[in-house]
Amino acid sequence: MADSVVQLRRGPSRSTWLRVRKARPQLILSRRPRRRLWTLRWSGRRRLRRRLLQAHAAGADWLEDSGQCSRAAAPRRPKAADPEPEPGPELGPEPEPAASTKGPQNLPSWSVRQLGPGRALMLLPAEQTFTFSGICRLTCLYGQVEVFGFLISQGQPAQDIFSTYTHAYLTINAVHYSVSEKREKEMRKEARILLRSHLNLEDRCWAMKNFSPLCSIVMLERVKNSTVNFLTSYPGLSYIFTQEISTFQINAEYFALKSVGIRKEKKKKSLNLSVSALSALEELVSVSSEEADGCPIVLVCGAQDVGKSTFNRYLINQLLNSISCVDYLECDLGQTEFTPPGCISLLNITEPVLGPPFTHQRTPQKMVYYGKPSCENNYENYIEIIKYVFSSYKRECPLIINTMGWVADEGLLLLIDLIRLLSPTHVIQLSSARSKQMANLTPDYVDDMDGLYTKSKSKVRNRGYELPEFADNLEFADEDKESSVLFTGHKLICVYSEFSPRKSSRNRESHNRIFRELAVLGYLSQLLPPVPKPLSPLHGLTPYQVPFNAVALRITHADVAPTHILYAVNASWVGLCKILDDVRGYTRGPILLAQTPICDCLGFGICRGIDMEKRLYHILTPVPPEELRTVNCLLVGVVSIPQCIFKSQRGPEGTIPYVTTDYNIKLPGASGKIGAREFDETQEGKLNRRPRFYQKK
């Protein structure tokens, strides 16, 4: 009895090794030399058993070396301890398995081949995906793929794709394309002809060897542009695009992807849209493609970190598949999409959005610099600026409106004011299990609720809303001025978001501050010349000289004594604006404004120095000179220059400009609120050991 117990304990280990050994030709478990099961680590044995069970679930037959009978029906081999084993049962004809009992056939996966330094060729069979991290330039040579909702077909221009760890990883999806009932031979011939201008003979032979029907062929290249080079030049920022982590999958595919600058990631880390989100996207694309319904105005709202920006990017890419352009109204001051933070802007988008905001900074049609990442304690000015920017919308293409994540208390009332003012045709309300539930913003709910500056209105005929009382100064297109303005009721679409943000309630503010700094760095990268020229430090670039009497100054977020106004302007982030008043009548400066104007902002710059003898501002900006001629106002807000610029910009003698440990915090106007220095009053005693900014003399 004791011997039988010992055999039972040793049976599973030996049985597992025999099953793995006999299933090895069918599973192709590994290219490593065969090792006995008991010499493997615990993780290795677990991995082998898992693959064994996966193949067994797929319907694989465990055949003997002869391949004539299954393992389940084969007679057991006699053990060495048993001198006379009992004979096994007689074998009969093996029945054919039913069609319903067969496991699913394994689809061919993607394959990649390195073409040279910084270039790789990838084959994606139909309905296969490839999730990655890093940055690359994608060119579709044959077939059609989808990235972040945007379709890239053969013959289209190459697209730069940014898959950063700060956001959900992007995925390249191979989609079905029209073949017009072509045979496989004809498809292979067509693909071979298209590859001749891109690949040599050896690479074409490899591609045709791995080619399958409805397969998409894409070329991946390393991206080298000023934005990537500028961001990665600062210590600690290179990890944004690709994190260097240890991996055990060192093979030819790994080196091919590494030469491009990307790495394969697990699919669970990619973007997963919920069923309600996909349904909403399909409806909005359908409505925008129909000319009879006009141009829809889509307002996207919801709490913080529910995926509003991600939904907007995906919607823009989906719309660009069927229409040529999309208008975008940015009403979120803290997490802007196409501009530095603190702006309300209107943009016309004609190219897909395939990355986070700091990778696609663009020039708006209309922009106003608010100066702060939030509108608390100044709601009226926020509403007036939105009215001013929205007046430039010409209603020639669909409009997407992005709103703030503040939807509680006054934030909800402010959102109701925006719905009445902007009159959207569709309101997309996002929610998740992590966010606090808010009331559904149906037309009846909005009509019955009072906003901060609007009162509830009774419904009129055609289910329209009367124009709010503050809309008298709102400018509309010429064809709309003659007719009476009625705001029609919107359609509410509730979307349940399954988006999993990396931010939590504890680190949300620090993450948001990092994203704002990255947006500023992305904008400043436009100062650098395009590659392949070497990267130049910012202090080595030539600034513009602006006389004191040519521009007016205004600190938007604080009251600063006139005698210390230049301390606040120097080494600060400034908005280059255009006001209607003429300031050239003054002989000396600086010229100070008593109130913050609502005016056009043409761009941003850095006041890198002030010459008191010649009475000149030294401004560093990427705005072209033809537009700088109209700039006559400089606005300074809370948005500041990232700390890494000051600490990494070494001077000619090894010093750090604008940074000192001897700083007088008692100086009027020198508190941490100027330029958002993130000053903490509880750590005032540590200021003497912390680098601070000072005026360059």
Side-chain angles (χ1 to χ4, degrees):
M1 180 65 69
D3 295 337
S4 62
V5 173
V6 174
Q7 291 179 4
L8 287 175
R9 290 180 179 176
R10 296 181 57 186
S13 178
R14 181 175 179 83
S15 173
T16 303
W17 167 247
L18 289 175
R19 294 167 65 189
V20 170
R21 186 183 63 182
K22 295 171 184 177
R24 192 180 186 90
Q26 288 81 10
L27 293 177
I28 312 178
L29 295 176
S30 175
R31 297 179 181 177
R32 298 177 181 177
R34 300 182 180 182
R35 294 182 294 180
R36 292 191 176 276
L37 187 63
W38 52 80
T39 63
L40 298 177
R41 294 181 179 179
W42 176 83
S43 59
R45 295 197 301 269
R46 196 175 101 178
R47 183 165 54 253
L48 291 177
R49 292 192 183 98
R50 184 172 66 250
R51 295 189 181 183
L52 181 69
L53 293 176
Q54 290 176 353
H56 182 66
D61 292 333
W62 312 114
L63 303 180
E64 295 287 347
D65 295 339
S66 61
Q68 300 298 326
C69 58
S70 64
R71 188 187 185 282
R76 294 185 179 181
R77 295 183 178 180
K79 298 181 182 179
D82 298 336
E84 296 180 359
E86 296 182 0
E90 296 183 0
L91 295 177
E94 185 176 354
E96 291 289 338
S100 59
T101 61
K102 289 185 178 181
Q105 299 294 330
N106 292 330
L107 297 175
S109 60
W110 57 272
S111 55
V112 64
R113 175 185 176 90
Q114 185 174 354
L115 303 178
R119 297 172 68 243
L121 186 70
M122 176 174 289
L123 274 70
L124 276 172
E127 298 183 357
Q128 290 295 306
T129 61
F130 173 72
T131 304
F132 69 98
S133 62
I135 51 178
C136 66
R137 178 167 296 162
L138 186 147
T139 305
C140 186
L141 303 181
Y142 183 80
Q144 189 178 48
V145 296
E146 182 187 40
V147 181
F148 209 2
F150 184 73
L151 295 177
I152 306 176
S153 305
Q154 60 189 47
Q156 291 185 352
Q159 298 292 339
D160 292 344
I161 305 175
F162 302 86
S163 181
T164 63
Y165 96 100
T166 56
H167 297 71
Y169 290 134
L170 301 185
T171 300
I172 303 175
N173 302 316
V175 298
H176 284 282
Y177 50 88
S178 176
V179 295
S180 302
E181 299 182 356
K182 295 181 181 179
R183 297 180 180 179
E184 181 179 355
K185 185 176 181 180
E186 297 176 353
M187 296 172 60
R188 297 176 67 89
K189 182 179 179 180
E190 182 182 3
R192 188 181 295 107
I193 295 175
L194 292 175
L195 296 180
R196 285 180 180 176
S197 59
H198 301 278
L199 308 176
N200 55 30
L201 179 60
E202 183 180 357
D203 296 330
R204 291 201 306 269
C205 293
W206 176 87
M208 291 297 99
K209 181 180 179 181
N210 296 273
F211 185 83
S212 60
L214 298 178
C215 179
S216 298
I217 306 176
V218 297
M219 179 183 293
L220 306 177
E221 300 176 278
R222 180 179 289 272
V223 174
K224 294 182 179 179
N225 56 28
S226 57
T227 301
V228 175
N229 294 345
F230 183 73
L231 290 175
T232 55
S233 64
Y234 290 99
L237 294 183
S238 59
Y239 67 91
I240 293 176
F241 298 111
T242 303
Q243 286 186 300
E244 294 295 337
I245 59 176
S246 59
T247 178
F248 297 99
Q249 299 178 357
I250 306 298
N251 48 26
E253 296 176 347
Y254 170 81
F255 288 108
L257 298 176
K258 185 177 181 180
S259 66
V260 178
I262 62 177
R263 186 179 62 248
K264 181 181 179 299
E265 299 289 348
K266 296 181 179 179
K267 188 176 180 180
K268 64 181 181 180
K269 296 183 179 180
S270 63
L271 175 64
N272 295 319
L273 295 177
S274 61
V275 177
S276 58
L278 293 175
S279 177
L281 289 169
E282 183 179 0
E283 180 177 353
L284 294 176
V285 171
S286 176
V287 172
S288 302
S289 302
E290 298 176 0
E291 299 181 357
D293 294 340
C295 298
I297 300 178
V298 182
L299 186 142
V300 182
C301 61
Q304 294 180 338
D305 303 330
V306 294
K308 295 189 299 297
S309 299
T310 303
F311 183 87
N312 291 335
R313 298 187 200 111
Y314 205 96
L315 177 58
I316 291 174
N317 294 336
Q318 289 264 289
L319 292 175
L320 290 179
N321 291 329
S322 56
I323 59 179
S324 60
C325 61
V326 180
D327 281 348
Y328 186 87
L329 178 61
E330 182 63 80
C331 298
D332 189 355
L333 297 170
Q335 302 299 322
T336 52
E337 186 67 34
F338 299 101
T339 64
C343 299
I344 297 175
S345 58
L346 177 67
L347 301 96
N348 184 259
I349 310 301
T350 58
E351 297 180 356
V353 183
L354 302 176
F358 55 87
T359 61
H360 49 249
Q361 295 289 297
R362 301 179 182 177
T363 303
Q365 291 180 331
K366 193 91 167 177
M367 178 172 61
V368 174
Y369 184 46
Y370 186 82
K372 295 190 296 183
S374 64
C375 64
E376 294 185 39
N377 304 325
N378 199 0
Y379 309 121
E380 186 175 359
N381 191 32
Y382 174 75
I383 289 290
E384 292 296 331
I385 292 177
I386 292 180
K387 289 167 50 181
Y388 178 76
V389 175
F390 180 69
S391 63
S392 299
Y393 175 55
K394 303 303 180 183
R395 293 174 173 81
E396 296 177 353
C397 56
L399 175 65
I400 300 175
I401 303 172
N402 184 37
T403 59
M404 298 182 296
W406 182 35
V407 292
D409 302 329
E410 290 88 353
L412 178 60
L413 303 181
L414 194 62
L415 180 60
I416 292 176
D417 287 338
L418 291 183
I419 294 176
R420 288 178 179 159
L421 171 65
L422 304 177
S423 182
T425 58
H426 297 77
V427 173
I428 310 300
Q429 184 173 346
L430 282 83
S431 61
S432 66
R434 300 171 306 275
S435 61
K436 296 182 179 179
Q437 296 294 329
M438 57 179 294
N440 292 335
L441 299 178
T442 61
D444 295 336
Y445 180 84
V446 174
D447 189 34
D448 296 336
M449 285 290 294
D450 292 336
L452 283 179
Y453 300 98
T454 59
K455 302 298 181 181
S456 59
K457 302 291 184 178
S458 59
K459 294 181 180 179
V460 294
R461 58 183 180 180
N462 297 328
R463 297 181 60 84
Y465 296 97
E466 296 181 6
L467 189 66
E469 61 271 12
F470 57 74
D472 297 333
N473 298 327
L474 185 62
E475 298 180 2
F476 293 93
D478 296 337
E479 61 270 13
D480 297 332
K481 290 182 178 180
E482 297 179 358
S483 60
S484 59
V485 181
L486 292 178
F487 287 168
T488 58
H490 61 268
K491 179 178 181 180
L492 176 65
I493 302 178
C494 296
V495 174
Y496 182 80
S497 174
E498 297 179 357
F499 178 71
S500 299
R502 301 179 184 270
K503 296 181 290 185
S504 62
S505 58
R506 294 184 177 180
N507 61 8
R508 178 181 291 114
E509 184 57 33
S510 61
H511 275 73
N512 292 340
R513 183 174 65 252
I514 292 174
F515 290 156
R516 290 193 291 266
E517 292 182 353
L518 288 174
V520 173
L521 291 174
Y523 183 86
L524 290 177
S525 65
Q526 304 176 24
L527 287 167
L528 305 179
V531 291
K533 293 184 178 181
L535 188 65
S536 302
L538 294 184
H539 66 78
L541 303 179
T542 304
Y544 293 96
Q545 296 182 356
V546 182
F548 279 7
N549 59 356
V551 293
L553 298 179
R554 175 64 182 173
I555 309 298
T556 62
H557 62 285
D559 294 331
V560 181
T563 55
H564 298 98
I565 195 73
L566 295 182
Y567 286 90
V569 175
N570 191 31
S572 295
W573 181 259
V574 295
L576 310 179
C577 304
K578 179 177 63 176
I579 59 178
L580 299 178
D581 299 336
D582 188 8
V583 299
R584 299 184 181 275
Y586 297 87
T587 58
R588 297 178 61 85
I591 304 172
L592 306 181
L593 296 177
Q595 296 180 350
T596 302
I598 298 179
C599 56
D600 293 344
C601 181
L602 305 182
F604 298 92
I606 298 176
C607 182
R608 55 162 294 180
I610 299 177
D611 192 338
M612 297 301 298
E613 296 180 358
K614 298 181 180 180
R615 310 188 72 80
L616 296 174
Y617 304 108
H618 294 277
I619 306 296
L620 199 61
T621 177
V623 180
E626 55 271 13
E627 296 184 10
L628 289 176
R629 296 188 181 96
T630 61
V631 174
N632 57 1
C633 177
L634 302 180
L635 298 182
V636 180
V638 173
V639 181
S640 64
I641 304 172
Q643 298 278 345
C644 61
I645 291 183
F646 293 99
K647 295 181 180 180
S648 301
Q649 297 293 325
R650 298 292 176 178
E653 300 178 359
T655 60
I656 305 179
Y658 303 100
V659 178
T660 181
T661 56
D662 185 14
Y663 187 83
N664 186 9
I665 195 64
K666 302 299 183 182
L667 186 69
S671 64
K673 298 301 181 182
I674 299 300
R677 307 300 188 216
E678 305 295 342
F679 169 65
D680 189 358
E681 296 180 357
T682 61
Q683 300 182 1
E684 183 176 354
K686 301 180 182 179
L687 285 173
N688 292 331
R689 299 188 301 272
R690 182 179 299 178
R692 305 296 298 178
F693 306 122
Y694 71 98
Q695 182 181 5
K696 183 179 179 182
K697 297 183 180 179

